[in-house]
């Protein structure tokens, strides 16, 4: 069974940092590209970052470019999102999601971790 | 990276069919056949319903179908059921090598 479990969310101050993790199981992690998608309270989904299986292709939404860094450790079956220079508008539930092979979409999602940015 | 345009809400009665539109541009929806649709119930993670415009993943009911014409994609749900009441999001790969979601459509089954 494919399972994705996010952790690392919590309260952060504006300008602060957090590191999210996503533990993957039930599939060969290194074979799949992964994404981070977030959802602000009461709002829609927003794609924020992508990394391929070898970590040689990474993409970011303009809203987080230069502040957030996606990474992965295939030996640990884990995906990460380093979030720096946090802003109030980064408050959201953050989901990690697995890409379908050549599907340009996400077929499995974690349950999400809440990040709240407030002074 | 502007969000794709979806109606904020749609409604239908059990057994009826509804269609949700998703309008983008020639840089996203119109550029590739990489439109997907997701269903999200309150407090839950999104679930993939349709990918590559028309393809259903294994296990998704054939009551859900997708299509595209130009810069607009559509999701049709036939034989509405009360459990279909949820938020629906479209998504597209873009020419900037990014992904963009629609603003979401809340479906009410009356």
């Amino acid at each position: 069974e494919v399972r994705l479990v996010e952790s690392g969310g919590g309260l952060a101050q504006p300008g602060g940092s957090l590191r999210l993790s996503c533990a993957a199981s039930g599939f060969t992690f290194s074979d799949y590209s992964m994404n981070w998608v977030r959802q602000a309270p009461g709002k829609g989904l927003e794609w924020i970052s992508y990394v391929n299986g070898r970590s040689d292709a990474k993409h970011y939404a303009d809203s987080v470019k230069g502040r957030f860094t996606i990474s992965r450790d295939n030996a640990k079956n884990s995906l990460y999102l380093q979030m720096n220079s946090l802003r109030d508008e980064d408050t959201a539930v953050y989901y990690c999601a697995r890409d379908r092979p050549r599907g340009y979409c996400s077929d499995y999602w974690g349950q999400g971790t809440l990040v709240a940015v407030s002074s | 990276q502007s969000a794709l345009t979806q109606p904020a809400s749609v409604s239908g009665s059990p057994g009826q069919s509804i269609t949700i539109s998703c309008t983008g541009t020639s840089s996203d929806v119109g550029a590739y056949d990489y439109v997907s649709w997701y269903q999200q119930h309150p407090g839950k993670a999104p679930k993939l319903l349709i990918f590559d415009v028309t393809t259903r993943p294994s296990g998704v009911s054939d009551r859900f179908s997708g299509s595209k014409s130009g810069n607009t994609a559509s999701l049709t749900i036939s034989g509405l059921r009360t459990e279909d009441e949820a938020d629906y999001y479209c998504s597209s790969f873009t020419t900037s090598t990014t992904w963009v979601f629609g603003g979401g459509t809340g479906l009410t089954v009356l």
Side-chain angles (χ1 to χ4, degrees):
Chain A
E1 177 195 4
V2 172
R3 195 161 182 238
L4 299 169
V5 180
E6 301 92 340
S7 60
L11 180 63
Q13 291 194 331
S17 298
L18 277 178
R19 188 193 195 208
L20 305 184
S21 299
C22 172
S25 60
F27 64 101
T28 303
F29 183 65
S30 58
D31 286 348
Y32 290 81
S33 300
M34 299 293 295
N35 293 274
W36 286 101
V37 176
R38 69 184 180 184
Q39 186 169 33
K43 302 296 184 182
L45 301 172
E46 180 188 13
W47 171 83
I48 56 172
S49 191
Y50 161 97
V51 62
N52 70 354
R54 297 183 306 274
S55 298
D56 57 7
K58 299 179 181 181
H59 303 293
Y60 299 92
D62 287 346
S63 58
V64 305
K65 196 174 295 182
R67 300 188 299 122
F68 290 10
T69 302
I70 193 170
S71 63
R72 62 190 294 160
D73 185 335
N74 288 340
K76 294 183 178 180
N77 291 336
S78 293
L79 175 72
Y80 306 102
L81 186 68
Q82 178 66 44
M83 304 186 297
N84 298 332
S85 303
L86 283 164
R87 305 168 179 168
D88 290 350
E89 55 264 36
D90 295 320
T91 294
V93 173
Y94 285 72
Y95 295 100
C96 70
R98 188 186 84 166
D99 249 21
R100 281 193 77 256
R102 295 177 287 109
Y104 296 89
C105 64
S106 295
D107 59 356
Y108 285 92
W109 298 62
Q111 285 304 303
T113 187
L114 177 62
V115 171
V117 182
S118 174
S119 55
Chain B
Q1 294 178 347
S2 299
L4 307 176
T5 300
Q6 298 181 232
S9 62
V10 297
S11 63
S13 299
Q16 287 187 332
S17 295
I18 62 95
T19 296
I20 299 171
S21 61
C22 170
T23 301
T25 70
S26 58
S27 297
D28 39 62
V29 175
Y32 309 106
D33 285 338
Y34 294 143
V35 174
S36 51
W37 289 90
Y38 300 87
Q39 177 191 61
Q40 186 181 35
H41 286 104
K44 300 295 187 181
K47 172 188 175 183
L48 180 64
L49 290 178
I50 298 284
F51 65 93
D52 294 354
V53 178
T54 61
T55 306
R56 283 186 309 276
S58 174
V60 172
S61 171
D62 60 4
R63 297 186 300 105
F64 296 91
S65 62
S67 63
K68 191 187 89 166
S69 177
N71 296 337
T72 298
S74 298
L75 172 72
T76 297
I77 309 174
S78 59
L80 273 178
R81 299 178 180 174
T82 54
E83 58 261 37
D84 296 333
E85 190 160 295
D87 293 326
Y88 292 84
Y89 294 90
C90 61
S91 177
S92 176
F93 184 62
T94 82
T95 56
S96 300
T97 323
T98 61
W99 283 258
V100 61
F101 282 94
T105 299
L107 169 62
T108 301
V109 181
L110 303 168

